[in-house]
Amino acid sequence: MADMTCDFLVIGGGPGGYVAAIRAGQLGLRTVLVEKEAVGGTCLNVGCIPSKALIHAAEKFHDAVSFAVENALGIQNAAPSIDYARTVGWKDGVVATLTGGVRGLLKRAKVEVVSGTAQFIDGKTVQVGMGDRITAKTIVIATGSTPVDLPPLPFGGDVLSSTGALALTHVPPTFAVVGGGYIGLEIGTAFAKLGARVTVVEAGPSLLPQYDAELVKPVAKRLEALGVTVHLNARATGHEAGRLWIEGPDGPAQIDADKVLVAVGRKPYTDGLRLERLSLPTQRGFIPVNDRCETPMRGVFAIGDVIPGPMLAHRAMAEGEMVAEIAAGHTRVWDKQAMPATCFTDPEIVTVGLSPQEAKDQFGAAKIGRFPFTANGRALATEGTEGMVRVVARAEDNRIVGIQAVGQGISELSSAFSIALDMGARLEDVAAIVQSHPTRSEGFAEAAMQALGRAVHI
């Protein structure tokens, strides 16, 4: 590659970066995308997509195992086995299909993809590798995040990040998860269903600390049913020879752990960018931006996990689209009312907007409506009665400001929840919508009706 100039330069080919590049190309900007590994970033290659594929495979295998013993459905099946290496091959095929699709979309948008690591020379120029330079009118930092490690458990050998856990070619007999957040519980639940004996070690007093107890309770109950051991208020202090040492309320203890997943969070990844050459301030490693994702340096934007806010792929994608349109001269600001978050545990959790407590704190009073899946026909007919839908509205005008749900397959309702918030729906609006029967989506309308004091099915 020789030195080049372009209109729009994106550093990082994850969900935010590749969407920014594609949209800029569609808008006629000469666009270059620099990615040091594979387009798609963590999400497509070693995060969101492969983990969901693993969760799906684990669920199918667990279903097969359940049919080898007496069950309510009367299905009889011989004891199943799993060729996990083949499962991994299928998972990798899903990833390859999607990353190949992204490459095709970039090519169609006439985006030039450059392999290598970018370093800033100044606010308009980066160096890729050992010498070639790219000068751009607009530069977007979209380098994502990386797992946080623990000093007593450095990554390597049998101590894994989420990337390492998803790359395993066999199911370990014993598997410990350090960190009871969504990443640890998603992967830990999958390995429990695949036959591993799983232990979760969480430093805080509850699992999934970002969610309230009403949402977490069904997940904790399911973990217990799967035989997962949970240690709360406990810290891991070391690992050697298949044993994990922890320090808990009852003192030190040892846990069998052939493999250990450390999933205690993620941090912005800006290593090697030489941000100091731009004099860009950072806050706990994050790059501050305004409501257009502009940094304090003119012409330099930052999106996704490197800026403050929830680390969500769909958020980064929306930001990437926005900054590309700004660079093309469009008037855009970040004005999203709804930012859904989904935890793909068993059962799944979806949240968007304010929790009941947050709504009360902000507005002084709130109306709360709940509908349990124990009263839902579809849930009963598919053995998925754990959980509920909860709707939160301002008391003064019944405008919906938050929706939360926990239940089997509930992630597919996240779109409906987001639409309701973004379009300013009131409880009366949702209650009046005719829902298909029998579906779990009926619970959404029923929760709104319950908040209005006119529930029908509970």
Side-chain angles (χ1 to χ4, degrees), residues 180-181 185 202-213 216 230-233:
L185 292 194
E202 166 57 40
S206 68
L207 298 172
L208 299 171
Q210 66 270 52
Y211 300 112
D212 61 67
V216 175
V230 176
H231 295 272
L232 299 176
N233 296 306

Side-chain angles (χ1 to χ4, degrees), residues 50-271:
S51 66
K52 304 313 168 281
L54 176 65
I55 288 168
H56 172 72
E59 182 67 27
K60 292 294 185 183
F61 179 67
H62 185 70
D63 285 346
V65 170
S66 69
F67 295 145
V69 296
E70 185 177 347
N71 59 85
L73 300 183
I75 298 174
Q76 297 180 357
N77 186 28
S81 61
I82 185 169
D83 182 348
Y84 190 65
R86 187 171 179 178
T87 304
V88 171
W90 168 80
K91 168 182 69 70
D92 292 344
V94 171
V95 171
T97 297
L98 289 172
T99 54
V102 170
R103 289 193 296 272
L105 292 169
L106 289 164
K107 183 178 181 180
R108 188 167 69 182
K110 299 180 180 179
V111 175
E112 182 166 353
V113 179
V114 175
S115 296
T117 300
Q119 289 187 347
F120 277 101
I121 302 300
D122 54 43
K124 295 294 181 184
T125 308
V126 302
Q127 177 178 299
V128 179
M130 297 302 295
D132 296 313
R133 296 188 176 195
I134 305 173
T135 301
K137 295 177 182 177
T138 301
I139 299 179
V140 181
I141 302 170
T143 47
S145 60
T146 189
V148 174
D149 60 0
L150 291 175
L153 295 170
F155 293 132
D158 294 326
V159 178
L160 313 170
S161 67
S162 56
T163 299
L166 292 170
L168 289 173
T169 56
H170 69 283
V171 178
T174 56
F175 187 75
V177 178
V178 178
Y182 74 95
I183 294 175
L185 292 194
E186 285 181 4
I187 296 175
T189 299
F191 276 110
K193 291 180 177 180
L194 290 167
R197 183 154 53 90
V198 176
T199 302
V200 177
V201 179
E202 166 57 40
S206 68
L207 298 172
L208 299 171
Q210 66 270 52
Y211 300 112
D212 61 67
E214 194 172 17
L215 297 174
V216 175
K217 185 177 178 180
V219 176
K221 181 178 178 181
R222 181 60 171 149
L223 289 171
E224 183 179 1
L226 290 170
V228 175
T229 302
V230 176
H231 295 272
L232 299 176
N233 296 306
R235 297 182 180 276
T237 58
H239 178 267
E240 186 177 355
R243 306 285 285 177
L244 177 69
W245 286 277
I246 68 169
E247 187 74 36
D250 299 324
Q254 294 185 28
I255 297 168
D256 291 332
D258 296 294
K259 301 291 182 182
V260 179
L261 164 62
V262 176
V264 294
R266 298 182 66 84
K267 60 185 178 181
Y269 181 77
T270 56
D271 293 355

Side-chain angles (χ1 to χ4, degrees), residues 106-448:
L106 289 164
K107 183 178 181 180
R108 188 167 69 182
K110 299 180 180 179
V111 175
E112 182 166 353
V113 179
V114 175
S115 296
T117 300
Q119 289 187 347
F120 277 101
I121 302 300
D122 54 43
K124 295 294 181 184
T125 308
V126 302
Q127 177 178 299
V128 179
M130 297 302 295
D132 296 313
R133 296 188 176 195
I134 305 173
T135 301
K137 295 177 182 177
T138 301
I139 299 179
V140 181
I141 302 170
T143 47
S145 60
T146 189
V148 174
D149 60 0
L150 291 175
L153 295 170
F155 293 132
D158 294 326
V159 178
L160 313 170
S161 67
S162 56
T163 299
L166 292 170
L168 289 173
T169 56
H170 69 283
V171 178
T174 56
F175 187 75
V177 178
V178 178
Y182 74 95
I183 294 175
L185 292 194
E186 285 181 4
I187 296 175
T189 299
F191 276 110
K193 291 180 177 180
L194 290 167
R197 183 154 53 90
V198 176
T199 302
V200 177
V201 179
E202 166 57 40
S206 68
L207 298 172
L208 299 171
Q210 66 270 52
Y211 300 112
D212 61 67
E214 194 172 17
L215 297 174
V216 175
K217 185 177 178 180
V219 176
K221 181 178 178 181
R222 181 60 171 149
L223 289 171
E224 183 179 1
L226 290 170
V228 175
T229 302
V230 176
H231 295 272
L232 299 176
N233 296 306
R235 297 182 180 276
T237 58
H239 178 267
E240 186 177 355
R243 306 285 285 177
L244 177 69
W245 286 277
I246 68 169
E247 187 74 36
D250 299 324
Q254 294 185 28
I255 297 168
D256 291 332
D258 296 294
K259 301 291 182 182
V260 179
L261 164 62
V262 176
V264 294
R266 298 182 66 84
K267 60 185 178 181
Y269 181 77
T270 56
D271 293 355
L273 278 179
R274 302 298 297 271
L275 288 180
E276 67 275 9
R277 291 179 174 174
L278 304 186
S279 299
L280 276 182
T282 59
Q283 300 169 353
R284 295 181 295 108
F286 294 97
I287 301 171
V289 296
N290 63 13
D291 61 1
R292 288 159 50 93
C293 287
E294 295 171 311
T295 72
M297 175 160 283
R298 185 184 299 273
V300 178
F301 294 76
I303 62 174
D305 290 1
V306 296
I307 68 175
M311 291 184 172
L312 299 168
H314 44 279
R315 171 201 175 212
M317 290 178 176
E319 291 168 344
E321 182 182 3
M322 179 184 73
V323 299
E325 293 183 356
I326 290 171
H330 297 201
T331 301
R332 289 286 308 273
V333 295
W334 186 258
D335 60 355
K336 308 299 183 185
Q337 300 299 306
M339 187 54 58
T342 303
C343 180
F344 291 88
T345 44
D346 181 9
E348 297 173 346
I349 299 175
V350 171
T351 63
V352 60
L354 304 180
S355 69
Q357 188 58 54
E358 289 170 338
K360 291 173 184 176
D361 292 343
Q362 186 167 333
F363 303 113
K367 291 184 179 180
I368 315 298
R370 296 174 177 83
F371 186 81
F373 286 125
T374 51
N376 178 265
R378 177 67 170 166
L380 283 162
T382 55
E383 301 181 290
T385 57
E386 289 292 332
M388 54 96 193
V389 180
R390 186 175 67 196
V391 178
V392 184
R394 291 193 308 210
E396 62 186 67
D397 58 3
N398 290 347
R399 178 169 176 171
I400 296 173
V401 295
I403 308 166
Q404 300 85 36
V406 54
Q408 185 185 92
I410 203 67
S411 59
E412 295 303 327
L413 280 181
S414 62
S415 177
F417 298 163
S418 295
I419 290 170
L421 255 69
D422 250 346
M423 299 190 74
R426 298 192 308 161
L427 291 171
E428 293 86 348
D429 298 321
V430 173
I433 295 172
V434 178
Q435 303 284 348
S436 178
H437 174 77
T439 63
R440 285 179 176 79
S441 61
E442 292 176 278
F444 186 19
E446 291 277 1

